[in-house]
Amino acid sequence: MTKTAITRHVKDWWPVHLVLLAAISVIGVGLSGNSLVAGCTSNLCNSIRTLQWEALTAGLLGLAGGFSVIVSTRKQILHSERVAQQQREDFLLADVNIKLADIENFCTGGEAFMRISLELYKENELNSPADEIIKLLYSEDGISHVRRVILSADEIRKSNIIPLPLQGSFDRLARTMNDLWRCITSTAFHNIPKLAAELERDIDSMRFELINYRKQILNLRLY
């Protein structure tokens, strides 16, 4: 559970916790009250001796149960509202999400390429032969699929599915992936960490732009 979730939980359930704490306190006073006020004859002490703690505890526990029902019902209503809102948004963005799916997959392919590149860098650091590493790039059971992901950038551009506000981020991402590929195929492995870090930033930027674009389209369609 995250810190935010814990804070929200405490905020929602504090009345229940407070009543339960009061009930526990009453039980404690009821069970040990006589020994605590032994020899005392004040009105307060006499009140503690005659305290009907069983009935008071039952009332407090009933109150806690009532609060629990209220809180649970409220949370169920809020959850249902969030689900309904999400379903509405998904419906309004269904066509947009289909068009942007290829760009999302391109980002996912870029993440895989980044991880593989860093693995190749580690292999090179271990003095593995460079020609053996290059063979992995083109082998059927190696990472030749990464090259297909990189080449798919042209297909995505030709399909005209890239919205104008996203073209700059997409082009930067594709360019960095190509630079990293050339770095590997030319055995310039010392440049891999720098380009991999740049690729990670470009992927994050592309996904940020995708989120903002969806928000803009959703706002236009909602209002």
Side-chain angles (χ1 to χ4, degrees):
M1 186 180 291
T2 63
K3 184 177 181 180
T4 302
I6 294 174
T7 302
R8 188 183 300 114
H9 175 83
V10 172
K11 182 179 179 180
D12 291 339
W13 289 92
W14 73 264
V16 179
H17 297 159
L18 185 62
V19 174
L20 288 176
L21 181 61
I24 293 172
S25 300
V26 169
I27 293 173
V29 172
L31 293 177
S32 59
N34 288 332
S35 61
L36 291 175
V37 297
C40 178
T41 59
S42 67
N43 291 333
L44 177 61
C45 293
N46 290 332
S47 297
I48 293 176
R49 288 191 186 92
T50 58
L51 178 67
Q52 301 295 318
W53 65 271
E54 296 94 338
L56 185 56
T57 300
L60 288 171
L61 292 177
L63 182 60
F67 277 138
S68 297
V69 171
I70 293 173
V71 173
S72 298
T73 302
R74 179 174 175 273
K75 290 176 75 70
Q76 290 177 355
I77 292 173
L78 291 175
H79 176 71
S80 298
E81 290 176 349
R82 285 194 295 267
V83 170
Q85 179 66 21
Q86 186 61 54
Q87 290 175 340
R88 183 187 182 194
E89 292 179 3
D90 291 342
F91 175 77
L92 292 174
L93 291 175
D95 59 325
V96 175
N97 288 331
I98 292 174
K99 291 181 179 180
L100 299 182
D102 287 340
I103 301 177
E104 293 277 10
N105 292 335
F106 191 72
C107 290
T108 302
E111 285 181 324
F113 184 31
M114 179 185 65
R115 291 192 296 270
I116 292 170
S117 300
L118 292 174
E119 287 298 322
L120 292 177
Y121 175 75
K122 291 179 183 178
E123 289 294 326
N124 182 65
E125 287 290 288
L126 295 174
N127 297 319
S128 298
D131 56 344
E132 293 298 324
I133 295 176
I134 297 300
K135 286 180 182 178
L136 288 175
L137 300 176
Y138 299 98
S139 63
E140 287 299 324
D141 57 346
I143 58 172
S144 58
H145 64 281
V146 171
R147 184 57 178 163
R148 290 194 293 272
V149 172
I150 296 173
L151 293 175
S152 70
D154 289 334
E155 298 176 6
I156 295 174
R157 291 191 187 96
K158 291 176 182 177
S159 64
N160 294 320
I161 64 170
I162 307 176
L164 184 60
L166 305 181
Q167 289 180 2
S169 294
F170 183 85
D171 288 340
R172 282 194 300 274
L173 174 57
R175 185 165 55 250
T176 303
M177 289 179 68
N178 271 302
D179 289 344
L180 184 54
W181 180 265
R182 285 193 294 268
C183 168
I184 294 173
T185 54
S186 63
T187 66
F189 296 112
H190 60 282
N191 290 325
I192 288 179
K194 177 182 177 181
L195 288 172
E198 185 177 344
L199 177 58
E200 184 176 22
R201 288 193 297 270
D202 289 343
I203 292 172
D204 290 341
S205 177
M206 183 76 260
R207 285 187 166 148
F208 179 77
E209 294 294 337
L210 285 167
I211 292 172
N212 282 342
Y213 180 74
R214 286 189 174 95
K215 287 181 179 178
Q216 291 172 7
I217 297 299
L218 184 62
N219 288 334
L220 288 173
R221 293 180 177 181
L222 281 174
Y223 308 106

